[in-house]
Amino acid sequence: MSSVLGEPKGKGASYSKRKLEVFKAAAKLFNERGFNNATMDDIAATLNVTKPALYYYAKSKDEILFEIGSIALGEALLLLENIFTEERTAADSLHLFFVSWTESICQEFGRCMVLVKPELLGPESRKRSKFSRRTIHHHVANLIQIGISDGSIRPCKPDLISLALFDLFNGIAYWYQEDGLLNPTEIANQYWCNFGQGLLEN
């Protein structure tokens, strides 16, 4: 049985910790089998709990997927907020963000956010997820515009470059393997060195 969900209620792990374990198990299944192919029965079986016990923490796959994406996107937004509070060029901040973004999308929640498209969510969840994604895109585009202004990034169309960078780095989630030759940080730095440097103003 799951080490956390198997603990008696009121003892040991908190409700939030138990719920997080459900999300982790679900994200792993969604990443391995695909969202449409993984069922609530599969998630319950992975955790070795009953389906009614699972429903105590999440009522549907839609709810689980939305929560997983919300956690990953929330971490990205927090990173962007912190970046703006530190003194560095916008180009350096952009580099730092995509290194951290890569580290996130090579973990279960971030990977699930990339691999499972928001179109698979229900209407309300899809709307909220897309809004969060657009918010991050706009923040990055704004960062690029700041870089153009501070002279660290050459003139370009910020919205277009933001989309291109996300397409580039998100691709890592599709092929990354933990036992590979490079870790996520090293991969991101290689990508930036070979592709991101073209944005920099010499």
Side-chain angles (χ1 to χ4, degrees):
M1 178 173 286
S2 156
S3 59
V4 173
L5 297 189
E7 295 177 0
K9 292 180 175 61
K11 297 181 180 180
S14 65
Y15 173 84
S16 59
K17 187 174 181 180
R18 295 166 187 264
K19 192 170 185 176
L20 186 62
E21 185 179 15
V22 170
F23 293 162
K24 287 179 178 178
K28 190 171 189 299
L29 279 176
F30 295 162
N31 293 340
E32 292 175 350
R33 303 184 186 181
F35 179 74
N36 288 330
N37 295 326
T39 66
M40 292 292 279
D41 286 319
D42 294 330
I43 298 169
T46 297
L47 293 164
N48 198 20
V49 299
T50 64
K51 201 170 178 181
L54 180 62
Y55 284 143
Y56 180 70
Y57 300 97
K59 302 303 182 186
S60 66
K61 288 199 306 175
D62 180 271
E63 178 183 335
I64 293 173
L65 181 60
F66 175 75
E67 292 291 348
I68 289 170
S70 294
I71 291 171
L73 291 168
E75 290 175 349
L77 282 170
L78 181 60
L79 173 63
L80 282 166
E81 290 172 4
N82 291 336
I83 280 175
F84 280 112
T85 65
E86 299 179 17
E87 291 187 8
R88 59 170 66 87
T89 66
D92 287 341
S93 294
L94 193 65
H95 178 192
L96 174 63
F97 171 76
F98 277 103
V99 169
S100 296
W101 178 263
T102 302
E103 292 167 349
S104 173
I105 64 171
C106 288
Q107 298 175 27
E108 296 295 357
F109 284 6
R111 197 168 204 167
C112 187
M113 175 191 65
V114 170
L115 298 183
V116 185
K117 303 304 180 185
E119 284 74 16
L120 294 175
L121 290 166
E124 183 58 31
S125 296
R126 180 169 63 247
K127 181 180 178 181
R128 293 167 63 189
S129 176
K130 286 189 172 183
F131 176 80
S132 295
R133 291 167 190 253
R134 284 195 300 270
T135 299
I136 292 175
H137 159 67
H138 290 320
H139 274 302
V140 170
N142 183 47
L143 184 57
I144 294 169
Q145 182 60 60
I146 292 171
I148 295 171
S149 298
D150 71 21
S152 63
I153 295 176
R154 64 179 58 191
C156 62
K157 293 187 178 297
D159 280 341
L160 181 62
I161 296 303
S162 175
L163 290 170
L165 287 171
F166 277 113
D167 280 347
L168 174 68
F169 283 91
N170 283 351
I172 297 169
Y174 288 86
W175 55 261
Y176 170 74
Q177 296 182 355
E178 289 186 5
D179 58 355
L181 295 176
L182 299 176
N183 64 40
T185 304
E186 292 168 330
I187 293 170
N189 281 322
Q190 284 287 321
Y191 266 48
W192 187 260
C193 180
N194 286 281
F195 304 112
Q197 292 289 338
L199 293 172
L200 307 187
E201 187 66 86
N202 296 325

